Amino acid sequence: MQEFPTIRPRRLRMTPILRDLVAETAIKKQKLIQPHFVVEGTGQVQEIRTLPGIVRNSVDELVKQIGADLELGMRNHILFGLPEAKDEHASGVSGDKSLICRALREIKKAYGKDVNVFPDLCLCAYTTSGHCGLVTPDGEILNDETNAILARAAVDYAQAGADMVAPSDMMDGRVRAIRQALDAAGLHNTPIMSYAVKYASAFYGPFREAAHSAPSSGDRKSHQMDMRNAKEAILEALQDAAEGADILMVKPALPYLDIIADLKHRVTQPLAAYQVSGEYASIAFAAQAGAADLQAVALESLTAITRAGAEIILSYFTRQLFAENWI
Ligand code: PBG
């Protein structure tokens, strides 16, 4: 191997043009997805204490927001429904009149195929327990019964206009249940973006405040993955792929780059990563305190997630990135 002084790695760093020429990684705008929180009512634009710059919108305001987003060129949107009524059966998650179905219909009526809009699919915002599935009185989360509810909701969402569905509950076998239900309803072209590798993470803290979806007791460790494990990520990803997931997601993103980098070579499906609320909030609050350059740190994170192997990124920075032409 040649050495210094023949080898001088700095040669290719001398000008911005050369640096661009040899850069291996580029974040692509059309691969970013903006999360939205949807609430009941009209005229609602509620700030979220834990997520500076992100709001909860009622359906009418959400339609306006997505219209403004579309003007910026933002096409990909994930919706989180935050219903007022919750019950033991999570009955608000599905049905024609559910918050998410109403939001989907209105967005599709306004923008049709110009947007790719899809709901997060989970029970945690709809259950009184705040758990991602149905729970028995002694606290056990019922896997298969939950799958049936998720499958029904997926069909309702697709019929209301959802361009994809994104199950985030981490029940076993839910991708199969959802795929079968969609196919049985003739919705074979509705893709499933699976939260395949979702860790039980403290980085979801700001989201749970935003969504009022913290479990009322216990935690999510019986279904979300243990942060100490990497092999299990392979099992989860391959299982979901086999069950028919079209896109596989790893979540959170930055603390799990090793997982993303490993899966990149193991799956053929597009790989997505979710830069979650805690990742966003740490950068946003550090910037507010004058301790970080928001744009630089956000872009460094997004670049790292891309470099590790994620092709699609869900990020709360999406709108700001588009609006301020960061890239
Ligand atoms: C629903 C869901 C959560 C997130 C996405 N879907 C919360 C959780 O699992 O507790 C977190 C997203 C974020 O932190 O930005 N299960």
Side-chain angles (χ1 to χ4, degrees), residues 17 24 52 84 96 104-105 132 143 157 198 202 205 216-217 228 260 266 283 293 309:
I17 299 175
E24 298 166 39
E84 264 158 30
D96 213 33
L104 287 165
R105 276 197 305 270
C132 304
N143 191 90
Y157 294 165
K198 179 174 176 181
S216 56
S217 65
R228 294 169 293 188
I260 297 171
R266 296 186 189 266
I283 298 172
D293 173 337

Side-chain angles (χ1 to χ4, degrees), residues 80 120 122 124 132 168 195 198 203-204 207-208 220 224 251 274 276-277 316:
F80 293 92
D120 175 269
C122 189
C124 60
C132 304
S168 68
Y195 288 68
K198 179 174 176 181
F203 281 91
Y204 307 150
F207 174 97
R208 289 182 188 170
R220 302 206 162 133
Q224 299 180 352
K251 175 181 174 207
Y274 198 142
V276 299
S277 56
Y316 298 93

Side-chain angles (χ1 to χ4, degrees), residues 21-313:
L21 184 72
V22 300
E24 298 166 39
T25 308
I27 310 164
K28 299 200 185 76
K29 281 182 164 177
Q30 295 312 335
K31 291 174 176 290
L32 294 173
I33 301 173
Q34 173 73 39
H36 299 268
F37 297 102
V38 196
V39 293
E40 299 283 2
T42 52
Q44 297 298 311
V45 182
Q46 306 169 353
E47 286 183 9
I48 301 169
R49 186 182 58 84
T50 51
L51 290 172
I54 306 295
V55 296
R56 303 184 198 93
N57 279 323
S58 48
V59 174
D60 56 334
E61 293 293 336
L62 178 66
V63 172
K64 284 191 231 163
Q65 177 64 66
I66 289 185
D69 288 347
L70 197 51
E71 298 272 307
L72 298 174
M74 290 165 61
R75 293 170 170 272
N76 293 293
H77 305 273
I78 181 166
L79 308 183
F80 293 92
L82 312 180
E84 264 158 30
K86 305 182 189 230
D87 62 32
E88 269 169 55
H89 314 285
S91 40
V93 72
S94 63
D96 213 33
K97 297 196 172 61
S98 64
L99 181 57
I100 286 293
C101 285
R102 283 183 278 128
L104 287 165
R105 276 197 305 270
E106 293 299 318
I107 294 164
K108 280 291 154 185
K109 196 165 77 189
Y111 312 114
K113 286 195 191 325
D114 289 344
V115 291
N116 183 52
V117 58
F118 59 99
D120 175 269
L121 176 51
C122 189
L123 303 193
C124 60
Y126 302 90
T127 51
T128 24
S129 66
H131 277 298
C132 304
L134 300 181
V135 241
T136 61
D138 53 8
E140 189 198 336
I141 296 180
L142 296 168
N143 191 90
D144 302 13
E145 291 80 350
T146 299
N147 285 345
I149 296 178
L150 294 169
R152 198 173 327 130
V155 171
D156 288 347
Y157 294 165
Q159 283 171 343
D163 293 291
M164 320 199 279
V165 290
S168 68
D169 52 285
M170 286 298 279
M171 294 302 112
D172 291 330
R174 91 284 203 197
V175 172
R176 182 186 306 277
I178 292 167
R179 183 74 270 157
Q180 282 175 351
L182 288 171
D183 289 354
L187 297 160
H188 46 263
N189 281 332
T190 303
I192 300 174
M193 173 191 271
S194 172
Y195 288 68
V197 180
K198 179 174 176 181
Y199 283 90
S201 172
F203 281 91
Y204 307 150
F207 174 97
R208 289 182 188 170
E209 156 85 20
H212 305 301
S213 69
S216 56
S217 65
D219 53 37
R220 302 206 162 133
K221 292 184 178 164
S222 83
H223 45 294
Q224 299 180 352
M225 285 177 49
D226 188 318
M227 62 176 159
R228 294 169 293 188
N229 294 345
K231 283 190 293 182
E232 205 183 337
I234 304 167
L235 176 67
E236 285 283 5
L238 294 181
Q239 278 292 318
D240 280 14
E243 289 179 23
D246 300 281
I247 300 173
L248 298 167
M249 192 205 296
V250 174
K251 175 181 174 207
L254 204 66
Y256 296 88
L257 293 186
D258 56 327
I259 306 296
I260 297 171
D262 184 36
L263 287 179
K264 172 185 166 183
H265 298 294
R266 296 186 189 266
V267 296
T268 52
Q269 285 76 8
L271 198 56
Y274 198 142
Q275 183 187 48
V276 299
S277 56
E279 297 178 68
Y280 171 84
S282 4
I283 298 172
F285 284 116
Q288 276 186 7
D293 173 337
L294 183 114
Q295 178 179 334
V297 178
L299 280 179
E300 190 170 334
S301 288
L302 292 169
T303 303
I305 296 162
T306 307
R307 192 186 60 236
E311 301 153 76
I312 299 167
I313 306 177

